[in-house]
PDB file of all heavy atoms in Angstrom:
ATOM      1  N   ASP A 456       7.590 -35.691  -1.116  1.00 97.00           N
ATOM      2  CA  ASP A 456       7.392 -36.613   0.043  1.00 97.00           C
ATOM      3  C   ASP A 456       7.089 -35.875   1.315  1.00 97.00           C
ATOM      4  O   ASP A 456       7.075 -36.442   2.393  1.00 97.00           O
ATOM      5  CB  ASP A 456       8.629 -37.488   0.217  1.00 97.00           C
ATOM      6  CG  ASP A 456       8.899 -38.368  -0.990  1.00 97.00           C
ATOM      7  OD1 ASP A 456       7.919 -38.739  -1.670  1.00 97.00           O
ATOM      8  OD2 ASP A 456      10.084 -38.633  -1.274  1.00 97.00           O
ATOM      9  N   PHE A 457       6.875 -34.564   1.208  1.00 98.00           N
ATOM     10  CA  PHE A 457       6.434 -33.751   2.361  1.00 98.00           C
ATOM     11  C   PHE A 457       7.333 -33.861   3.562  1.00 98.00           C
ATOM     12  O   PHE A 457       6.928 -34.219   4.685  1.00 98.00           O
ATOM     13  CB  PHE A 457       4.991 -34.118   2.717  1.00 98.00           C
ATOM     14  CG  PHE A 457       4.070 -34.133   1.533  1.00 98.00           C
ATOM     15  CD1 PHE A 457       3.468 -35.306   1.122  1.00 98.00           C
ATOM     16  CD2 PHE A 457       3.816 -32.961   0.800  1.00 98.00           C
ATOM     17  CE1 PHE A 457       2.618 -35.335   0.004  1.00 98.00           C
ATOM     18  CE2 PHE A 457       3.008 -32.987  -0.318  1.00 98.00           C
ATOM     19  CZ  PHE A 457       2.377 -34.182  -0.699  1.00 98.00           C
ATOM     20  N   PRO A 458       8.616 -33.574   3.426  1.00 98.00           N
ATOM     21  CA  PRO A 458       9.554 -33.683   4.545  1.00 98.00           C
ATOM     22  C   PRO A 458       9.182 -32.732   5.655  1.00 98.00           C
ATOM     23  O   PRO A 458       8.906 -31.550   5.423  1.00 98.00           O
ATOM     24  CB  PRO A 458      10.894 -33.325   3.924  1.00 98.00           C
ATOM     25  CG  PRO A 458      10.557 -32.496   2.716  1.00 98.00           C
ATOM     26  CD  PRO A 458       9.254 -33.018   2.224  1.00 98.00           C
ATOM     27  N   TRP A 459       9.176 -33.203   6.874  1.00 97.00           N
ATOM     28  CA  TRP A 459       8.894 -32.327   8.032  1.00 97.00           C
ATOM     29  C   TRP A 459       9.696 -32.772   9.230  1.00 97.00           C
ATOM     30  O   TRP A 459      10.790 -32.260   9.485  1.00 97.00           O
ATOM     31  CB  TRP A 459       7.385 -32.308   8.328  1.00 97.00           C
ATOM     32  CG  TRP A 459       6.975 -31.426   9.430  1.00 97.00           C
ATOM     33  CD1 TRP A 459       7.573 -30.247   9.819  1.00 97.00           C
ATOM     34  CD2 TRP A 459       5.864 -31.576  10.307  1.00 97.00           C
ATOM     35  NE1 TRP A 459       6.910 -29.684  10.864  1.00 97.00           N
ATOM     36  CE2 TRP A 459       5.858 -30.474  11.202  1.00 97.00           C
ATOM     37  CE3 TRP A 459       4.853 -32.566  10.455  1.00 97.00           C
ATOM     38  CZ2 TRP A 459       4.884 -30.324  12.215  1.00 97.00           C
ATOM     39  CZ3 TRP A 459       3.927 -32.403  11.435  1.00 97.00           C
ATOM     40  CH2 TRP A 459       3.920 -31.294  12.321  1.00 97.00           C
ATOM     41  N   LYS A 460       9.162 -33.741   9.978  1.00 95.00           N
ATOM     42  CA  LYS A 460       9.865 -34.180  11.172  1.00 95.00           C
ATOM     43  C   LYS A 460      10.133 -35.695  11.063  1.00 95.00           C
ATOM     44  O   LYS A 460       9.399 -36.438  10.446  1.00 95.00           O
ATOM     45  CB  LYS A 460       9.032 -33.931  12.426  1.00 95.00           C
ATOM     46  CG  LYS A 460       8.953 -32.457  12.799  1.00 95.00           C
ATOM     47  CD  LYS A 460       8.301 -32.257  14.132  1.00 95.00           C
ATOM     48  CE  LYS A 460       8.351 -30.774  14.510  1.00 95.00           C
ATOM     49  NZ  LYS A 460       7.628 -30.486  15.766  1.00 95.00           N
ATOM     50  N   ALA A 461      11.214 -36.095  11.683  1.00 84.00           N
ATOM     51  CA  ALA A 461      11.537 -37.499  11.870  1.00 84.00           C
ATOM     52  C   ALA A 461      11.587 -37.710  13.360  1.00 84.00           C
ATOM     53  O   ALA A 461      12.601 -37.367  14.006  1.00 84.00           O
ATOM     54  CB  ALA A 461      12.855 -37.843  11.173  1.00 84.00           C
ATOM     55  N   GLY A 462      10.510 -38.199  13.920  1.00 88.00           N
ATOM     56  CA  GLY A 462      10.428 -38.265  15.393  1.00 88.00           C
ATOM     57  C   GLY A 462      10.280 -36.835  15.926  1.00 88.00           C
ATOM     58  O   GLY A 462       9.541 -36.023  15.407  1.00 88.00           O
ATOM     59  N   ASP A 463      11.063 -36.523  16.941  1.00 89.00           N
ATOM     60  CA  ASP A 463      11.003 -35.179  17.523  1.00 89.00           C
ATOM     61  C   ASP A 463      11.810 -34.178  16.727  1.00 89.00           C
ATOM     62  O   ASP A 463      11.640 -32.972  16.871  1.00 89.00           O
ATOM     63  CB  ASP A 463      11.536 -35.205  18.961  1.00 89.00           C
ATOM     64  CG  ASP A 463      10.562 -35.855  19.916  1.00 89.00           C
ATOM     65  OD1 ASP A 463       9.383 -36.013  19.526  1.00 89.00           O
ATOM     66  OD2 ASP A 463      10.968 -36.228  21.025  1.00 89.00           O
ATOM     67  N   ASP A 464      12.683 -34.689  15.885  1.00 95.00           N
ATOM     68  CA  ASP A 464      13.606 -33.772  15.163  1.00 95.00           C
ATOM     69  C   ASP A 464      13.037 -33.420  13.778  1.00 95.00           C
ATOM     70  O   ASP A 464      12.341 -34.232  13.163  1.00 95.00           O
ATOM     71  CB  ASP A 464      14.963 -34.467  14.975  1.00 95.00           C
ATOM     72  CG  ASP A 464      15.619 -34.746  16.324  1.00 95.00           C
ATOM     73  OD1 ASP A 464      15.382 -33.948  17.278  1.00 95.00           O
ATOM     74  OD2 ASP A 464      16.326 -35.741  16.409  1.00 95.00           O
ATOM     75  N   TYR A 465      13.406 -32.286  13.353  1.00 97.00           N
ATOM     76  CA  TYR A 465      13.057 -31.901  12.003  1.00 97.00           C
ATOM     77  C   TYR A 465      13.928 -32.674  10.994  1.00 97.00           C
ATOM     78  O   TYR A 465      15.102 -32.995  11.299  1.00 97.00           O
ATOM     79  CB  TYR A 465      13.306 -30.401  11.785  1.00 97.00           C
ATOM     80  CG  TYR A 465      12.246 -29.511  12.374  1.00 97.00           C
ATOM     81  CD1 TYR A 465      12.364 -29.009  13.663  1.00 97.00           C
ATOM     82  CD2 TYR A 465      11.081 -29.213  11.645  1.00 97.00           C
ATOM     83  CE1 TYR A 465      11.388 -28.188  14.215  1.00 97.00           C
ATOM     84  CE2 TYR A 465      10.099 -28.420  12.192  1.00 97.00           C
ATOM     85  CZ  TYR A 465      10.240 -27.889  13.477  1.00 97.00           C
ATOM     86  OH  TYR A 465       9.263 -27.116  13.990  1.00 97.00           O
ATOM     87  N   ASP A 466      13.357 -32.941   9.854  1.00 97.00           N
ATOM     88  CA  ASP A 466      14.164 -33.423   8.742  1.00 97.00           C
ATOM     89  C   ASP A 466      15.296 -32.409   8.539  1.00 97.00           C
ATOM     90  O   ASP A 466      15.071 -31.181   8.590  1.00 97.00           O
ATOM     91  CB  ASP A 466      13.278 -33.471   7.481  1.00 97.00           C
ATOM     92  CG  ASP A 466      14.040 -33.966   6.260  1.00 97.00           C
ATOM     93  OD1 ASP A 466      14.981 -33.287   5.798  1.00 97.00           O
ATOM     94  OD2 ASP A 466      13.641 -35.028   5.734  1.00 97.00           O
ATOM     95  N   PRO A 467      16.511 -32.868   8.343  1.00 97.00           N
ATOM     96  CA  PRO A 467      17.633 -31.918   8.291  1.00 97.00           C
ATOM     97  C   PRO A 467      17.540 -30.887   7.152  1.00 97.00           C
ATOM     98  O   PRO A 467      18.221 -29.883   7.188  1.00 97.00           O
ATOM     99  CB  PRO A 467      18.862 -32.824   8.132  1.00 97.00           C
ATOM    100  CG  PRO A 467      18.378 -34.176   7.877  1.00 97.00           C
ATOM    101  CD  PRO A 467      16.954 -34.257   8.312  1.00 97.00           C
ATOM    102  N   ALA A 468      16.675 -31.151   6.168  1.00 98.00           N
ATOM    103  CA  ALA A 468      16.528 -30.175   5.086  1.00 98.00           C
ATOM    104  C   ALA A 468      15.594 -29.029   5.415  1.00 98.00           C
ATOM    105  O   ALA A 468      15.561 -28.044   4.722  1.00 98.00           O
ATOM    106  CB  ALA A 468      16.004 -30.903   3.822  1.00 98.00           C
TER     107      ALA A 468
END
Side-chain angles (χ1 to χ4, degrees):
Chain A
D456 298 330
F457 310 116
W459 182 31
K460 288 188 174 175
D463 286 344
D464 297 328
Y465 282 94
D466 181 296

